[in-house]
Amino acid sequence: YFVMMSQSEAKVAEGREIFVKYCVQCHLDDGRGSVGPNLTDGFWVHGCEPMQILKTLNEGVAAKGMPAWQNQLGPSRVHAVLAYTLTIKNTNVSGKAPEGEPCEF
């Protein structure tokens, strides 16, 4: 389902718009990471599979300062951000050094 959403230009565009509004403070405009990890490399702290990313988006990671977006954005907008995130994953934008584990999905 989420992989299909990531192939919808409209859903990805909506997700990018939300990402730029809410996520750039920690992940920067292109997802290369700042305070938060680089979302474009092949390494993921909390898993790179769509359901793992969804869990991180919904529940946040309080210890790392990642907000829980479920109640603030609602399911539709969180799903759009997930769709966008899947499109920038493995694009390897030069930025913050890899964190977490290598991920193949």
Side-chain angles (χ1 to χ4, degrees), residues 32-58:
R32 67 186 145 115
S34 175
V35 175
N38 186 333
L39 301 177
T40 71
D41 62 21
F43 292 79
W44 288 73
V45 178
H46 302 286
C48 73
E49 293 183 22
M51 293 307 289
Q52 294 170 315
I53 298 170
L54 179 64
K55 181 177 193 243
T56 302
L57 288 168
N58 278 333

Side-chain angles (χ1 to χ4, degrees), residues 11-31:
K11 189 53 84 172
V12 170
E14 176 189 358
R16 172 152 175 70
E17 188 176 300
I18 296 163
F19 186 92
V20 168
K21 184 171 183 181
Y22 295 100
C23 309
V24 294
Q25 299 88 332
C26 297
H27 298 287
L28 300 183
D29 181 48
D30 54 9

Side-chain angles (χ1 to χ4, degrees), residues 26-102:
C26 297
H27 298 287
L28 300 183
D29 181 48
D30 54 9
R32 67 186 145 115
S34 175
V35 175
N38 186 333
L39 301 177
T40 71
D41 62 21
F43 292 79
W44 288 73
V45 178
H46 302 286
C48 73
E49 293 183 22
M51 293 307 289
Q52 294 170 315
I53 298 170
L54 179 64
K55 181 177 193 243
T56 302
L57 288 168
N58 278 333
E59 299 175 11
V61 183
K64 299 280 188 174
M66 167 78 179
W69 293 108
Q70 184 173 0
N71 292 334
Q72 293 181 55
L73 297 178
S76 178
R77 295 195 299 167
V78 167
H79 293 174
V81 170
L82 174 54
Y84 172 69
T85 302
L86 291 174
T87 68
I88 64 171
K89 192 173 100 171
N90 294 324
T91 58
N92 296 309
V93 175
S94 180
K96 192 170 181 184
E99 297 176 82
E101 301 296 320

